[in-house]
Amino acid sequence: MEPIRVLHMIGSLEMGGSQAMIMNIYRSIDRQRIQFDFVIDKNKGGFFEKEITELGGAIYKMPSFKGTNIHEIRRSWGEFFLEHPKYKILHSHVRSYASLYIPIAKKHGLKTIIHSHSTSNGSGVSAVVKAVMQYPLRYQADYFFGCSKKSGEWLFGKKVVAGNKFYILKNAISTNEYRVDDNVRNQYRKKLGIDNDVIVYVHVGRLHEAKNHMFLLELFCNIVKRNPNSVLLLVGDGELRNQIEQKIKEWELGKNVVMMGARKDVANILKTADCFLFPSNWEGLPVTVVEAQAAGLPCLISNRITDEVNITPLVKKLPIDQGVKCWIDAIEKASFKKQDVIRQICEAGFDIKESSEWLQNFYEGIYV
């Protein structure tokens, strides 16, 4: 039998939280039973494009929403479903204008899933427009997914989350890939030119306002003042790259901060570090905090992140609206001795095998 082909609307194929989550599942799922195809509204050539093609997935480009092209969006999606009647399931990770194409997918007989990966639209006029446009989703989709209860309530409301059409799909990882390994630590430090006695801090995330990089750099500037033998590895890319590079130069942190860009070796980079810093303004349930715990790192994270990410005692939550002092205090008290907590992460349901099997069964259960 041919596998069930599930259409994922993902926006772009660049490195991001929702992309990392769905790619983790895609690598692990039984592709003889379930195959993923992707719709994007950004330019092709993204971080995951080559891997998706190698795994047997197709990639389709649709027009991006500009605020004034509602007719174009609806027409393009209608034509797409007419040309591709094989699709019976649409799983949308884009929420901002999903209310335009989900009714069209349902009209063409598809079962629809809307997936919440966040708890905020940011700020400004665009955030207001998004909030207005995504409100109808709670009445349109067949099924509702969230990476956490908090992310579900934010997008769909408490009534939907309390109902029988809402499911939490945990941002799971391939746990053994992140297990503490001193050999990898030593090899990567040598590769990066970092001595073994250097304290290495790491942050993994898109260069976006949600991640609060300015706070992170201010914090690290204070760390360096106390201990110049410190390095910060910034993993990720995004629209704030130039602004962040300028701030690094302004604060004379060039010798201490390494901009690593989007990487496929995040597990090994985490193994190289001593402490994970994550002062986000908002999140759904960040998979990178799960990964950092699996790597045995003490994790200092924002108190604006859902408690559902507190899987192990390695996590300490701190405020971001009271300045960096309490973060500095926590760092000075922290133990940088790594711990193997893989078993706890698996028992909490964050192993990719369990999530992949669940989602596989879910798709097969709704496929008609």
Side-chain angles (χ1 to χ4, degrees):
M1 290 178 62
E2 287 292 314
I4 295 170
R5 302 196 79 92
V6 177
L7 190 65
H8 287 268
M9 172 51 170
I10 197 72
S12 85
L13 298 178
E14 298 299 339
M15 175 65 83
S18 57
Q19 288 86 349
M21 170 264 173
I22 203 63
M23 288 303 296
N24 281 341
I25 289 178
Y26 190 23
R27 297 181 191 109
S28 179
I29 209 162
D30 183 350
R31 291 186 296 279
Q32 292 185 345
R33 292 166 58 186
I34 305 289
Q35 179 57 255
F36 288 177
D37 294 329
F38 296 84
V39 177
I40 60 174
D41 60 7
K42 305 292 190 297
N43 292 331
K44 285 194 175 184
F47 186 81
F48 292 112
E49 182 173 359
K50 184 173 183 290
E51 183 180 4
I52 287 169
T53 303
E54 290 172 348
L55 292 174
I59 301 168
Y60 304 100
K61 173 71 167 61
M62 298 290 274
S64 58
F65 180 57
K66 301 171 184 175
T68 57
N69 62 336
I70 291 175
H71 178 71
E72 180 190 21
I73 297 293
R74 287 174 171 159
R75 176 177 52 80
S76 298
W77 279 89
E79 291 173 353
F80 176 87
F81 290 125
L82 284 173
E83 293 170 7
H84 301 89
K86 62 185 176 183
Y87 293 112
K88 303 299 180 186
I89 301 172
L90 171 66
H91 188 156
S92 180
H93 306 270
V94 171
R95 64 182 186 273
S96 55
Y97 68 100
S99 60
L100 297 180
Y101 56 77
I102 280 185
I104 297 170
K106 292 182 70 172
K107 180 182 176 182
H108 287 269
L110 282 80
K111 294 291 178 62
T112 57
I113 303 165
I114 184 70
H115 197 142
S116 179
H117 294 271
S118 188
T119 56
S120 175
N121 284 318
S123 57
V125 175
S126 64
V128 176
V129 173
K130 288 177 183 177
V132 171
M133 292 201 66
Q134 67 197 26
Y135 186 80
L137 291 171
R138 64 188 68 189
Y139 304 108
Q140 295 174 330
D142 294 304
Y143 303 99
F144 307 89
F145 283 10
C147 58
S148 65
K149 182 180 178 182
K150 186 177 179 181
S151 69
E153 289 180 344
W154 170 74
L155 184 58
F156 311 127
K158 292 184 177 180
K159 184 176 179 180
V160 168
V161 170
N164 60 3
K165 297 293 185 179
F166 174 76
Y167 302 88
I168 291 177
L169 181 59
K170 294 182 177 179
N171 286 353
I173 63 171
S174 178
T175 49
N176 283 326
E177 186 181 343
Y178 294 85
R179 193 181 294 274
V180 177
D181 188 328
D182 286 338
N183 288 329
V184 172
R185 175 189 184 275
N186 296 335
Q187 290 169 11
Y188 258 66
R189 285 191 172 224
K190 186 175 181 181
K191 184 178 178 180
L192 294 169
I194 298 173
D195 293 337
N196 279 333
D197 62 344
V198 173
I199 303 297
V200 176
Y201 299 86
V202 63
H203 177 274
V204 181
R206 193 159 52 103
L207 307 186
H208 181 272
E209 70 167 308
K211 306 300 180 183
N212 205 10
H213 284 88
M214 294 304 125
F215 181 97
L216 175 63
L217 290 176
E218 182 185 354
L219 169 62
F220 186 65
C221 191
N222 280 269
I223 291 172
V224 171
K225 287 177 183 177
R226 287 165 171 77
N227 182 5
N229 202 29
S230 303
V231 166
L232 173 63
L233 305 180
L234 281 182
V235 182
D237 214 337
E239 58 266 38
L240 296 184
R241 186 180 185 93
N242 291 339
Q243 184 178 335
I244 290 167
E245 288 177 338
Q246 185 176 346
K247 187 60 70 173
I248 290 170
K249 184 177 180 180
E250 179 185 329
W251 285 349
E252 299 180 349
L253 293 172
K255 293 181 180 179
N256 300 86
V257 179
V258 183
M259 299 282 288
M260 306 197 74
R263 305 280 297 218
K264 292 188 175 180
D265 56 350
V266 170
N268 289 339
I269 293 171
L270 289 172
K271 292 174 188 178
T272 305
D274 298 296
C275 182
F276 183 78
L277 303 175
F278 205 70
S280 291
N281 288 312
W282 69 83
E283 293 283 349
L285 192 150
V287 67
T288 53
V289 180
V290 181
E291 293 170 341
Q293 288 175 80
L297 296 176
C299 301
L300 304 184
I301 72 171
S302 163
N303 64 354
R304 296 185 182 178
I305 299 172
T306 175
D307 288 341
E308 292 165 86
V309 82
N310 300 6
I311 307 166
T312 73
L314 290 170
V315 174
K316 183 172 182 59
K317 300 182 83 169
L318 298 163
I320 58 173
D321 55 359
Q322 298 176 19
V324 301
K325 186 181 182 303
C326 64
W327 289 69
I328 293 293
D329 292 342
I331 287 168
E332 290 180 346
K333 295 174 184 175
S335 168
F336 290 157
K337 184 179 180 181
K338 294 184 181 180
Q339 301 178 41
D340 188 335
V341 294
I342 297 296
R343 182 177 177 181
Q344 288 173 261
I345 291 172
C346 291
E347 288 176 349
F350 283 89
D351 185 76
I352 195 64
K353 291 180 181 177
E354 182 179 331
S355 289
S356 297
E357 183 66 26
W358 182 89
L359 187 58
Q360 193 166 272
N361 291 335
F362 183 87
Y363 288 146
E364 290 177 337
I366 66 172
Y367 182 78
V368 290

